[in-house]
Amino acid sequence: MKGLLLKDYYLIRSVLFILLVVFVVIGAGMSFLTSTWVLTVIATVMLGMISATTVNIDKSSGWRKTAGVLPIGPSAVVDSKYVLYLLLSGVGFLLGTALGSVVSLVKGPWDLNAMLLFMGISLAMALLAGSVALPCAFLFSEEKSTLGLIVTYPLSALIFVGSVMLFPNELTACLAAALAR
């Protein structure tokens, strides 16, 4: 498992710097337009998406054929992608929460309800989108899995928007969206 995770890290390490720059630019703009805690959602989603793309990279490079002769089972390859997804989403969650805290301290008053709401949304969106995007990446062709990845995040956001419109209390809406998963 450690070797599979290391292989995926080597695949994505060049993209991580670009994602960090994009996160800083988009996050800075969004945090001044909306709540500073939106950084948690942006970081969790941006880093979580990378794991599904590693499946497509493995398909296009022919690595799946090579993995067939290694002394690991196919389930270990699938498990490593899910572990990678959880690790990257967790790092994004921690990074977004830390940066959201710093920006919130600089920008103004600390809003605990907004912090808890956006933390819940980011975790639920990551788990919801990951539970759809990764199976799409394994089961479908590269084009269809990319389409699945593009559709899952807005779809999970739509679930939250719909639950907020149905339930006036933000925390109840977040709970309803998590239960809809």
Side-chain angles (χ1 to χ4, degrees):
M1 179 78 70
K2 182 180 174 185
L4 293 172
L5 291 173
L6 195 57
K7 174 198 71 80
D8 288 334
Y9 168 71
Y10 290 144
L11 284 175
I12 62 172
R13 70 178 169 185
S14 63
V15 178
L16 290 177
F17 178 73
I18 295 168
L19 275 177
L20 181 63
V21 170
V22 170
F23 169 69
V24 168
V25 170
I26 291 174
M30 292 297 292
S31 66
F32 287 106
L33 294 175
T34 64
S35 173
T36 58
W37 297 106
V38 76
L39 293 170
T40 306
V41 178
I42 294 171
T44 305
V45 167
M46 284 180 72
L47 284 176
M49 289 175 66
I50 298 173
S51 179
T53 60
T54 61
V55 177
N56 290 332
I57 293 171
D58 288 347
K59 283 181 185 178
S60 65
S61 69
W63 189 85
R64 294 175 76 180
K65 292 178 184 175
T66 305
V69 298
L70 294 176
I72 55 170
S75 64
V77 174
V78 174
D79 291 347
S80 72
K81 297 298 181 182
Y82 279 98
V83 169
L84 180 69
Y85 185 82
L86 290 174
L87 284 173
L88 288 173
S89 294
V91 167
F93 178 77
L94 293 175
L95 177 69
T97 303
L99 289 175
S101 299
V102 169
V103 173
S104 183
L105 287 173
V106 170
K107 189 177 174 183
W110 188 280
D111 189 6
L112 183 63
N113 285 336
M115 179 184 82
L116 293 175
L117 177 68
F118 280 101
M119 288 173 78
I121 287 173
S122 67
L123 288 176
M125 278 186 68
L127 295 176
L128 179 64
S131 66
V132 174
L134 284 175
C136 284
F138 280 110
L139 296 175
F140 300 129
S141 67
E142 189 174 345
E143 294 83 16
K144 289 180 183 176
S145 66
T146 303
L147 180 64
L149 181 65
I150 291 170
V151 169
T152 55
Y153 286 99
L155 205 60
S156 60
L158 185 65
I159 291 172
F160 282 100
V161 169
S163 64
V164 166
M165 292 182 146
L166 289 175
F167 301 104
N169 186 352
E170 293 171 339
L171 294 176
T172 306
C174 190
L175 179 64
L179 290 176
R181 181 189 166 287

